[in-house]
Amino acid sequence: MSTPFPFTAVVGQDDLRLALLLNAVSPAVGGVLVRGEKGTAKSTAVRALSALMPEVDVVSGCRFSCDPDSPDPGCPDGPHEPGAFASRPARMVELPVGASEDRLVGALDIERALAEGVKAFEPGLLADAHRGILYVDEVNLLHDHLVDLLLDAAAMGASYVEREGVSVRHAARFLLVGTMNPEEGELRPQLLDRFGLTVEVAASREPDQRVEVVRRRLAYDDDPAGFAARWTDEEAAVRARIAAARELLPSVRLGDGALRQIAATCAAFEVDGMRADIVMARTATALAAWAGRTEVLAEDVRQAALLALPHRRRRNPFDAPGLDEDKLDETLEEFGGSDGQDGDGDDDPDPGPGGGPGGQPEPDDAPQGDGDAAARPEAGEGGEPQPSGGGGEQSPARAAEPFRTKVLSVPGLGEGAAGRRSRARTEHGRTTGARRPRGALTKLHLAATVQAAAPHQRARGRSGPGLVVRRDDLRQATREGREGNLVLFVVDASGSMAARQRMGAVKGAVLSLLLDAYQRRDKVGLVTFRGSAADVALPPTSSVDAAAVRLESLPTGGRTPLAAGLLKAHDVLRVERLRDPARRALVVVVTDGRATGGPEPVALAGRAARLFAAEGTASVVVDCETGPVRLGLAGRLADELGGTAVTLDELRADSIASLVKDVQGSRRAA
């Protein structure tokens, strides 16, 4: 077994270490979600924590790690006789991103059911993690239904399994830790709220600290055991402090004054629901115990707010995380103020591991204009720009307020990654039938397998209770659910689109579709074209907030190389099909249909569009042409693409979703 990197040797990352230690003291805090860029010691710190957890006493032979002093009365392996127990280190169980529901919660023991004819439960990872740590790396890439199961178990302290004739309930209390890189996509707000604490981590910009990080890492890689030995005393001190804080925790008093500060803070920041109040109360109590006190102070409430509230204030993926610390200090002073809180956070009770000040990112204080103001034309911009658009680059227009869109879907039945958009055959979803497995069996359809084997039992010489099953009898369950798609935006940023009233509305519409893509677990990409070329502003990614940032800063001006934009989008799709051949695409072209620059630009754009039609790529053209005289070029482009066009005015009527349905209908007719 490899030697883990010592927890106390992690350089910096005070908030991360503090959040992990508070959950080690009180798992009721609800776990930690660690958000940050790659290479910031997220996984290293989490794995190092397991070595600091106190040993646990378990009932001998119990697969569910029951406490011998208070065994679970409903344990599937119970009832337990008093006396027999063993001590072992607390486990750290890792949940792989590609894990199945059966692996997480457990399922019917198929081998015993078929061989012995008995109904038995095979525990999953939730049972293994009981009284230990459950770690999910890249939790934002985990299927939503698995995250729901995981967080339900963490909140209730128990796992309930009702499936395949099995009804089991077992204890599942663990320290839940998830790590994620926001560049790869966000968690839904509902799931963010289920994590007790969230910490934003980033690499230090201080050269001295970066030097120390590299020095320690190289020393560890050269001699892991020797490096860990040099930190033995520090590790033992933190381990003893965790144990002492756990013993002190029941004696910590959360007074009415501190509780009022907690409630006032949650109300001041307009946090939804009551979970934030409860998490803050538990966190403040754990902070007091960690500091060796039996009374919760205002400084504990402040630190708890910095850890528990930032992620709960996000309403959509375009909101900047963070907390206004000045507002926090004003609220604490107004509803308390007698606990010695000075509002600057410098009087932290513990300068030791994880005990530094909050250090949350500063909030984005830029004023948020309303959509109507953003879409209002500026003086002198009421007229339509010249089609040639040969003028200079203009500053980016502000996007109009996003709005809710109806569902866009890709025609047919796909087999892409699980999501919430188009119909697909998936590993998860409702069972629609059974078939013979092609290759390895992944989802057994038990009833169909038994039905296939039953007629042959006498011929196979069955004599006992078990069923005689051969490979030819096995049946794979077929399931239908929803998949996520690749929504590729191809946006005209030329001079003919430069009117602020029009470009603001266009950006608002694209933001609305990006928000819908976020909710439906799609990948998104952004291609823009202007001047003489097209650019991939954002390669296909699950991070829709990154697409929103690129869109917001999109400049306009120059000619309209429509063909170049379509060809660039075609190249993006070609490469993406090689990387992820099962993910289907929907192309959304945002343009007025004009094409300028070079020889025969309109004909060249038509030939480029027919490439999409030949491959059967679903497409929608958002017609941005305005003015009393309309050329209808966007409609012709939609015909060449084999898709449908919609005018810019119709976007706010939520009509874009019906276009894809029209695409589906036209293709069925064809």
Side-chain angles (χ1 to χ4, degrees):
M1 184 183 223
S2 61
T3 303
F5 192 91
F7 185 85
T8 51
V10 174
V11 179
Q13 308 296 10
D14 291 336
D15 285 346
L16 169 57
R17 293 192 292 161
L18 178 59
L20 292 172
L21 290 169
L22 293 178
N23 274 271
V25 171
S26 175
V29 166
V32 186
L33 176 63
V34 186
R35 296 163 43 91
E37 58 197 26
K38 52 189 175 292
T40 50
K42 300 188 299 293
S43 300
T44 298
V46 175
R47 293 189 174 100
L49 179 67
S50 61
L52 300 179
M53 300 290 284
E55 287 194 343
V56 294
D57 294 334
V58 297
V59 174
S60 297
C62 178
R63 296 174 298 166
F64 300 89
S65 302
C66 278
D67 186 346
D69 293 332
S70 56
D72 181 9
C75 177
D77 284 355
H80 298 299
E81 296 295 331
F85 72 93
S87 296
R88 62 164 174 78
R91 292 174 179 159
M92 193 189 80
V93 177
E94 293 198 37
L95 175 62
V97 169
S100 66
E101 185 176 337
D102 292 348
R103 187 72 187 97
L104 178 63
V105 300
L108 178 70
D109 189 331
I110 299 297
E111 183 177 348
R112 292 190 62 189
L114 296 178
E116 303 174 22
V118 299
K119 186 166 62 176
F121 178 69
E122 184 177 7
L125 294 176
L126 291 179
D128 292 341
H130 180 45
R131 305 176 66 200
I133 301 172
L134 182 59
Y135 173 47
V136 188
D137 194 14
E138 306 294 352
V139 66
N140 52 326
L141 303 183
L142 198 65
H143 292 309
D144 280 355
H145 76 287
L146 292 183
V147 179
D148 288 330
L149 289 170
L150 184 65
L151 295 176
D152 282 342
M156 295 185 295
S159 174
Y160 295 83
V161 183
E162 300 283 348
R163 55 187 304 173
E164 297 169 340
V166 174
S167 179
V168 172
R169 174 251 174 229
H170 65 82
R173 291 183 295 276
F174 46 81
L175 193 169
L176 175 63
V177 183
T179 57
M180 60 175 282
N181 183 350
E183 293 178 357
E184 297 174 337
E186 288 282 358
L187 280 172
R188 291 183 287 123
Q190 298 91 329
L191 299 180
L192 279 173
D193 183 57
R194 301 297 292 273
F195 279 94
L197 309 179
T198 295
V199 177
E200 298 277 345
V201 297
S204 172
R205 299 299 183 257
E206 293 294 330
D208 290 343
Q209 193 171 81
R210 296 176 74 97
V211 166
E212 186 60 24
V213 170
V214 175
R215 181 181 290 119
R216 293 187 186 183
R217 185 70 212 190
L218 293 178
Y220 170 78
D221 291 341
D222 290 342
D223 182 10
F227 181 82
R230 294 199 294 273
W231 293 87
T232 301
D233 293 342
E234 288 84 351
E235 294 282 286
V238 174
R239 190 180 299 110
R241 188 172 176 185
I242 292 174
R246 283 187 171 189
E247 292 183 7
L248 183 62
L249 186 65
S251 304
V252 176
R253 176 180 174 273
L254 180 65
D256 291 343
L259 193 55
R260 183 172 178 81
Q261 286 182 317
I262 290 171
T265 300
C266 293
F269 286 100
E270 300 180 357
V271 177
D272 294 336
M274 295 298 299
R275 184 175 285 117
D277 303 62
I278 296 170
V279 171
M280 273 190 66
R282 290 172 174 166
T283 305
T285 303
L287 278 162
W290 176 250
R293 290 184 271 101
T294 57
E295 185 79 17
V296 173
L297 304 181
E299 61 200 34
D300 300 322
V301 176
R302 185 181 194 277
Q303 183 67 66
L306 292 172
L307 293 172
L309 295 188
H311 63 294
R312 292 186 164 87
R313 299 186 62 247
R314 302 191 77 189
R315 297 296 188 270
N316 63 61
F318 312 138
D319 292 339
L323 209 63
D324 186 339
E325 295 193 35
D326 291 336
K327 181 178 179 180
L328 172 61
D329 292 335
E330 291 173 3
T331 303
L332 293 175
E333 184 176 354
E334 179 182 355
F335 290 90
S338 61
D339 295 308
Q341 173 66 32
D342 61 6
D344 61 9
D346 290 335
D347 56 343
D348 186 79
D350 173 46
Q360 292 296 315
E362 288 294 323
D364 182 2
D365 292 326
Q368 299 297 315
D370 63 275
D372 294 334
R376 192 176 299 122
E378 296 186 358
E381 293 182 344
E384 177 78 3
Q386 293 299 317
S388 63
E393 181 177 305
Q394 301 187 24
S395 60
R398 288 287 304 274
E401 188 72 19
F403 54 88
R404 182 177 294 276
T405 67
K406 294 180 182 178
V407 180
L408 296 103
S409 59
V410 177
L413 191 65
E415 296 183 347
R420 295 172 176 265
R421 185 171 297 279
S422 305
R423 294 176 57 228
R425 299 183 185 92
T426 61
E427 289 294 316
H428 309 283
R430 62 186 182 90
T431 300
T432 57
R435 60 174 173 80
R436 293 181 182 272
R438 305 186 191 112
L441 179 70
T442 56
K443 283 286 184 181
L444 179 71
H445 194 298
L446 183 58
T449 299
V450 172
Q451 187 175 8
H456 310 290
Q457 295 306 294
R458 181 174 296 179
R460 293 173 182 174
R462 171 184 170 184
S463 58
L467 199 65
V468 180
V469 179
R470 295 178 180 172
R471 180 166 182 80
D472 290 343
D473 300 325
L474 299 178
R475 296 294 182 268
Q476 173 85 28
T478 58
R479 300 187 176 187
E480 182 176 313
R482 293 279 171 177
E483 68 176 359
N485 299 116
L486 168 60
V487 182
L488 182 62
F489 295 94
V490 186
V491 180
D492 185 349
S494 65
S496 66
M497 298 284 292
R500 288 185 178 276
Q501 180 179 14
R502 188 151 44 125
M503 201 60 195
V506 167
K507 287 186 176 182
V510 177
L511 281 177
S512 303
L513 295 173
L514 283 172
L515 180 58
D516 183 67
Y518 160 75
Q519 295 168 338
R520 302 191 184 282
R521 315 304 286 170
D522 293 317
K523 293 180 72 173
V524 296
L526 179 62
V527 173
T528 64
F529 57 95
R530 57 185 291 271
S532 60
D535 295 312
V536 181
L538 184 72
T541 176
S542 296
S543 180
V544 297
D545 52 341
V549 170
R550 305 290 174 88
L551 181 72
E552 191 69 30
S553 60
L554 178 65
T556 57
R559 295 184 179 274
T560 312
L562 176 58
L566 294 175
L567 291 174
K568 180 69 72 174
H570 188 266
D571 288 343
V572 170
L573 293 183
R574 178 179 55 80
V575 173
E576 192 64 18
R577 287 191 190 102
L578 296 175
R579 293 174 176 166
D580 190 357
R583 188 180 292 269
R584 298 183 294 163
L586 172 68
V587 177
V588 180
V589 185
V590 185
T591 181
D592 56 10
R594 290 181 171 86
T596 60
E600 299 184 347
V602 176
L604 185 59
R607 289 196 293 271
R610 287 192 289 274
L611 294 175
F612 293 88
E615 295 172 353
T617 304
S619 60
V620 172
V621 177
V622 179
D623 183 359
C624 302
E625 187 177 32
T626 59
V629 179
R630 295 176 180 266
L631 302 178
L633 298 176
R636 297 179 203 171
L637 176 62
D639 292 339
E640 299 280 9
L641 286 166
T644 309
V646 59
T647 66
L648 188 60
D649 292 337
E650 293 171 329
L651 286 178
R652 295 206 64 85
D654 293 344
S655 61
I656 193 167
S658 64
L659 301 178
V660 182
K661 295 179 182 177
D662 292 342
V663 171
Q664 292 175 307
S666 64
R667 291 193 176 176
R668 292 192 192 100

